[in-house]
Amino acid sequence: MSLAYARWYNLTVRVRYEFGKKEHEMIGFTLTEEQEDLRRLAHRFAEEEIRPVAQLYDEKEEMAWDVLKKGHEIGLHSYHYPVEYGGGGIESLLTECLVSEELAWGCAGIATALGGTSLAMLPVMIAGNPEQKKRTISYICSPGLHLAAMCLTEPNAGSDVAAAQTTARRDGDYYVLNGVKCFITNGGVADIHIVYASTDRSLGGKGLTAFIVDKGTPGLTQGKKEKKMGIRSSHTAEVCLEDCRVPVTNRLGEEGQGFFIAMKMLENSRPSVGAQAVGVARAAYELALSYAKERVQFGRPIARQQAIGFMLADMAMAVEAARLLVWRAAAAADSGKGCNLEGSMAKCFAGDTAMKVTTDAVQILGGYGYMREYPAEKWMRDAKIMQIYEGTNQIQRVVISGMITA
């Protein structure tokens, strides 16, 4: 064996060993009875309450308030919060991913409207003190629908969170917030906004701080409501802050901890976004498969035509692979080991899968797929956001490449 070959061999063995150790930390695909029950509940809700009205609210570009209220009433809005705050006590990211997949299978827009509150409450769960948790989470879980909005993105600060220009100036027992947030899910209609602002812009990310801003706080207003390509039944708008006075007691953590809180929030939210992508992809695959079995051309179902059959095979494989990456990331988070690498892989792969599978579904349905009378084109429009929000898939590749080459 040559010296060069020996070095290559030793390197590849070491890489396979290290990767294999990580892989074998999660083996097992059996869900608990509780998880299966909650998944069935979410699927039934998606099938009976969401799907019948999904196209209507997509056309109207309005929030499905009646559906969201029903979801809250049966616990789909609060099951994952601690019991002491009125939640269901099922604090498992894997379980949350199961529910997210089913709701997105129903409609990604309505799932986003529900999931926006969970995202906004993550910083409270991560960095909130007991009083802050009790006040905000108990309110979200209380009777009646209450929404929250996570306000991080700005016109000039998307992927580069540290470039945020919204400021927070200390004034006695208050902070005075000024700035504009954009592309905010539930922005302006939420009861609670979690706002990231800089207490010292010269420090970049180290100056970022997170605040709880309650609905009705003077200076907090809704700006432009966005007209979107997809997920139209979720509300997306600017959030404007003009001399908005927020009590010091509403600060999450210490000054300068906002960047860490945001990164931890995104780490734990990306598997759930991946699960949404799986739900959309699965919906499109199921429709394409059903159609291809029934559509007859050249004397037999098009599913029997190799060109279509191979497309369906690729779609099926991609959906299953994406789900397994999501489950792996969620299981890593539930074990307490963190899921920064796994979450980015899951979100990135599942987002790309959703876009590819929905595009292929439209192709398989042909002219019917292109018509708004059928849901395939909606799923294709909805899928695109899965490659963009919670960190673009290009950013996920930056995270992944950085971690595997470190």
Side-chain angles (χ1 to χ4, degrees):
M1 182 184 293
S2 69
L3 181 60
Y5 183 85
R7 286 175 176 170
W8 170 84
Y9 178 80
N10 290 334
L11 174 62
T12 54
V13 167
R14 185 168 69 252
V15 169
R16 288 201 304 271
Y17 174 70
E18 292 297 329
F19 193 70
K21 283 199 303 182
K22 202 168 189 65
E23 286 288 296
H24 286 94
E25 288 172 359
M26 176 208 159
I27 295 293
F29 304 96
T30 302
L31 302 176
T32 66
E33 185 176 347
E34 181 182 67
Q35 288 171 327
E36 290 284 13
D37 287 344
L38 195 53
R39 182 161 71 166
R40 280 191 289 267
L41 174 68
H43 181 79
R44 187 165 62 249
F45 182 77
E47 187 173 41
E48 297 176 0
E49 301 292 344
I50 295 179
R51 279 206 166 182
V53 299
Q55 186 176 14
L56 171 66
Y57 284 106
D58 178 73
E59 291 280 353
K60 294 168 64 177
E61 299 190 44
E62 293 179 359
M63 292 268 278
W65 290 106
D66 52 341
V67 177
L68 299 179
K69 289 174 182 176
K70 290 177 182 177
H72 178 70
E73 289 169 3
I74 64 173
L76 291 176
H77 205 225
S78 57
Y79 69 90
H80 51 288
Y81 297 120
V83 173
E84 58 265 36
Y85 304 129
I90 306 175
E91 298 177 61
S92 161
L93 184 54
L94 176 55
T95 304
E96 188 173 340
C97 287
L98 299 176
V99 173
S100 294
E101 178 183 334
E102 298 303 329
L103 296 180
W105 175 88
C107 173
I110 294 174
T112 297
L114 277 169
T117 294
S118 299
L119 174 65
M121 286 294 100
L122 265 176
V124 179
M125 293 295 295
I126 292 168
N129 60 42
E131 188 280 327
Q132 290 170 333
K133 290 180 180 178
K134 181 177 180 181
R135 178 168 63 86
T136 58
I137 298 174
S138 297
Y139 180 66
I140 293 296
C141 296
S142 65
L145 179 66
H146 307 292
L147 301 180
M150 193 276 291
C151 306
L152 180 61
T153 302
E154 298 183 7
N156 294 309
S159 299
D160 186 5
V161 174
Q165 297 178 20
T166 298
T167 59
R169 175 176 56 83
R170 181 73 180 261
D171 182 19
D173 292 333
Y174 289 83
Y175 285 91
V176 181
L177 274 57
N178 281 282
V180 176
K181 299 293 181 176
C182 66
F183 308 146
I184 307 303
T185 298
N186 298 335
V189 300
D191 299 280
I192 298 170
H193 292 74
I194 305 300
V195 177
Y196 290 84
S198 179
T199 50
D200 187 344
R201 287 186 57 197
S202 68
L203 297 177
K206 293 180 179 180
L208 206 61
T209 305
F211 300 90
I212 301 169
V213 184
D214 298 312
K215 183 178 182 179
T217 301
L220 172 70
T221 59
Q222 178 186 310
K224 177 182 67 172
K225 179 187 174 184
E226 304 293 349
K227 295 180 70 67
K228 305 190 296 293
M229 174 183 179
I231 58 167
R232 294 177 178 174
S233 49
S234 65
H235 176 92
T236 306
E238 290 180 334
V239 172
C240 304
L241 302 131
E242 186 174 0
D243 292 333
C244 183
R245 295 179 65 82
V246 178
V248 172
T249 53
N250 281 25
R251 185 188 67 211
L252 290 171
E254 300 298 326
E255 284 191 10
Q257 290 185 345
F259 186 83
F260 167 80
I261 295 169
M263 293 303 102
K264 197 65 181 174
M265 170 192 72
L266 292 170
E267 175 185 338
N268 285 278
S269 67
R270 283 167 180 162
S272 186
V273 174
Q276 286 186 357
V278 172
V280 174
R282 187 182 114 213
Y285 162 68
E286 289 173 355
L287 175 63
L289 178 63
S290 176
Y291 176 85
K293 287 180 176 179
E294 296 176 2
R295 175 69 168 175
V296 175
Q297 293 287 277
F298 306 104
R300 58 178 178 172
I302 62 172
R304 294 287 185 175
Q305 306 287 354
Q306 189 179 81
I308 302 300
F310 280 13
M311 288 176 70
L312 291 167
D314 287 341
M315 294 161 79
M317 287 189 289
V319 170
E320 291 296 325
R323 182 184 294 113
L324 289 175
L325 275 175
V326 167
W327 284 19
R328 175 173 173 257
D334 287 345
S335 71
K337 298 173 183 175
C339 64
N340 199 14
L341 175 63
E342 295 86 351
S344 287
M345 286 182 170
K347 192 271 180 188
C348 186
F349 186 85
D352 287 349
T353 293
M355 196 70 251
K356 178 69 165 62
V357 169
T358 55
T359 302
D360 285 348
V362 170
Q363 187 70 23
I364 289 172
L365 268 70
Y368 295 108
Y370 197 72
M371 301 304 158
R372 291 165 69 179
E373 182 180 355
Y374 299 88
E377 62 85 28
K378 174 187 179 297
W379 291 329
M380 182 177 173
R381 288 187 285 106
D382 288 344
K384 187 59 194 173
I385 195 62
M386 306 298 171
Q387 295 179 308
I388 298 173
Y389 65 5
E390 303 308 296
T392 66
N393 280 9
Q394 285 68 38
I395 284 294
Q396 305 313 317
R397 287 174 168 88
V398 170
V399 172
I400 295 165
S401 63
M403 294 191 72
I404 65 176
T405 60

